[in-house]
Amino acid sequence: MKKHNFSAGPCILPDSVMKKAAEAVIELDGSGLSLIEISHRSAAFVQIMENARTLALELLGLDGKGYQALFLQGGASSQFLNVAYNLLETKAGYINTGTWSLKAIKEAKLFGEIVEVASSQEDNFNYIPKGYSIPTDLDYLHLTSNNTIFGTQIKEFPTTDVPLVCDMSSDIFSRRLDFSMFDIIYAGAQKNMGPAGTTLVVVKEDLLGKVSRKIPSMLDYKVHIGKDSMFNTPPVFAVYVSMLTMQWLKDLGGIAAIEEVNEKKANLIYSEIELNPVFSGFAAKEDRSNMNATFNITDDTLKETFDEMCKEAGINGINGHRSVGGYRASMYNALPLESVGVLVDIMSELERKG
Ligand SMILES: *Cc1c(COP(=O)(O)O)cnc(C)c1O
């Protein structure tokens, strides 16, 4: 039996994508060759990369607006330093909303002065800071749109003339936004787009080429743009599966369509958490993530029963991150509404038992 997969990442992908990906590993589109044994310079793969890059910009509504989409390696974690390497001349601002922001800050500090413009660290990152003022002399302001570990999500982005850089690893393609407010968006594939192994980087081209330092080729966005994201051998499998997932999303009706489903899933679990005295939510209500719902059990004596019930129902991956504890239900694009229904039924059954 297929499990209800609430894993935080790597995580659930659409069934149809998995099937097609599995087939392509054996034989790509009747070519007599496997996806992973052909040259990345073959016409078939060049087309796959082009489709993936086009789909990414299309889904975000950024095609024809001066942006380029790249599929790079090294995870979102490499972008923590890459962003600074390419953009940081003197000073950059960071909004510190959790573990991933902190890691981004640590890397950027190697390249210039970092201003922590706002932070929710004093409350273990259970909310999103608001109403802060942004210095005007920053090379860029860095945000984490969705805090995978703490279950908070930025609902309103700051308006500023400072270029915005956003780590969207765990909510890319999940909700409608005016993506043109960002100058760089990056996202590790394995949360909402594909398997681990590639990172989508969407860059506004006119932002580049302004720092005085020399940039090694592999870290230089301009080099990757100049080579159509094929400067070196790309992670062909990860790019292919990401392409399939983006195609799946486009066929569904794009971000607007999936946003509706994501809202239903989030409403379902959060209303249960609010009404059910056995559970309490971790994140501030107005900042709760539609992707990762974090919650605790209020009566520890019920924990064992709850875990056992979840296991029996085939629920996978809801243990919270060690820095928050409790539970975390990740509800990425490919997670069906029914899976959330199964979890919520167990939560209310536990209340009746408890
Ligand atoms: C998972 C995650 C990362 C780290 O991604 P890697 O690809 O493992 O480097 C960074 N930022 C956010 C918001 C994440 O959820």
Side-chain angles (χ1 to χ4, degrees):
M1 184 187 88
K2 190 101 191 192
K3 292 196 170 163
H4 300 286
N5 189 358
F6 289 87
S7 173
C11 60
I12 188 165
L13 291 170
D15 280 340
S16 60
V17 167
M18 292 299 233
K19 195 162 170 289
K20 192 128 199 268
E23 282 167 12
V25 169
I26 305 298
E27 183 180 358
L28 179 65
D29 297 332
S31 64
L33 295 163
S34 162
L35 164 72
I36 56 173
E37 61 178 9
I38 56 170
S39 167
H40 61 292
R41 306 280 175 207
S42 63
F45 189 78
V46 169
Q47 188 63 52
I48 288 166
M49 179 58 98
E50 198 175 309
N51 289 351
R53 298 178 73 210
T54 306
L55 277 165
L57 294 181
E58 258 180 44
L59 287 168
L60 298 171
L62 293 177
D63 39 341
K65 293 189 178 163
Y67 289 83
Q68 293 277 350
L70 303 171
F71 286 90
L72 305 181
Q73 299 186 60
S77 299
S78 286
Q79 296 312 313
F80 297 160
L81 73 101
N82 230 355
V83 161
Y85 218 121
N86 282 265
L87 304 185
L88 178 49
E89 184 71 14
T90 49
K91 193 156 94 173
Y94 279 69
I95 308 297
N96 179 11
T97 51
T99 308
W100 300 117
S101 309
L102 279 167
K103 290 192 172 185
I105 291 168
K106 177 170 183 256
E107 300 305 311
K109 277 186 174 162
L110 299 172
F111 303 99
E113 186 189 337
I114 299 305
V115 185
E116 203 177 277
V117 173
S119 168
S120 51
Q121 188 158 20
E122 80 284 2
D123 283 326
N124 198 22
F125 302 113
N126 70 358
Y127 74 100
I128 299 288
K130 296 167 202 77
Y132 45 83
S133 55
I134 301 163
T136 52
D137 60 345
L138 302 174
D139 294 326
Y140 63 87
L141 179 72
H142 181 282
L143 307 146
T144 311
S145 56
N146 185 70
N147 298 281
T148 326
I149 292 173
F150 301 92
T152 62
Q153 188 174 34
I154 300 178
K155 308 289 175 178
E156 252 179 78
F157 288 86
T159 31
T160 170
D161 290 333
V162 169
L164 287 183
V165 175
C166 194
D167 175 0
M168 290 197 189
S169 291
S170 51
D171 68 350
I172 185 107
F173 304 135
S174 72
R175 56 171 168 167
R176 278 171 304 160
L177 286 174
D178 174 7
F179 292 98
S180 70
M181 77 176 115
F182 303 102
D183 294 78
I184 291 190
I185 295 167
Y186 63 90
Q190 71 275 15
K191 307 273 168 54
N192 215 16
M193 187 174 72
T198 192
T199 303
L200 170 65
V201 183
V202 175
V203 195
K204 197 166 192 186
E205 250 188 303
D206 66 10
L207 190 69
L208 301 175
K210 294 183 182 163
V211 289
S212 53
R213 75 174 62 84
K214 289 195 168 64
I215 306 176
S217 307
M218 272 299 282
L219 301 187
D220 191 341
Y221 292 136
K222 283 181 94 130
V223 168
H224 289 287
I225 291 169
K227 296 289 183 186
D228 297 332
S229 202
M230 298 262 260
F231 171 68
N232 71 322
T233 317
V236 293
F237 181 74
V239 172
Y240 179 70
V241 182
S242 298
M243 188 273 283
L244 292 179
T245 310
M246 289 188 283
Q247 188 62 55
W248 166 84
L249 180 54
K250 186 182 170 181
D251 294 345
L252 271 184
I255 292 180
I258 206 75
E259 182 183 34
E260 239 177 81
V261 185
N262 288 337
E263 277 176 359
K264 277 189 193 146
K265 289 186 285 185
N267 288 339
L268 187 58
I269 195 154
Y270 285 124
S271 47
E272 180 64 26
I273 291 170
E274 270 177 41
L275 293 173
N276 188 331
V278 173
F279 295 96
S280 68
F282 172 78
K285 188 172 173 183
E286 70 274 17
D287 302 325
R288 289 187 305 209
S289 165
N290 280 3
M291 295 279 98
N292 316 93
T294 44
F295 55 97
N296 278 284
I297 204 157
T298 51
D299 178 354
D300 269 344
T301 63
L302 292 175
K303 185 171 166 28
E304 212 175 300
T305 316
F306 181 57
D307 291 348
E308 193 49 47
M309 287 164 78
C310 285
K311 200 172 153 197
E312 260 171 44
I315 285 174
N316 172 68
I318 62 162
N319 280 337
H321 189 272
R322 61 192 176 280
S323 49
V324 179
Y327 296 92
R328 168 175 54 171
S330 297
M331 304 173 290
Y332 297 117
N333 284 355
L335 184 85
L337 179 62
E338 301 81 75
S339 289
V340 182
V342 170
L343 176 58
V344 163
D345 284 347
I346 291 173
M347 291 166 81
S348 52
E349 198 186 323
L350 187 70
E351 184 192 355
R352 286 191 298 274
K353 277 189 182 175

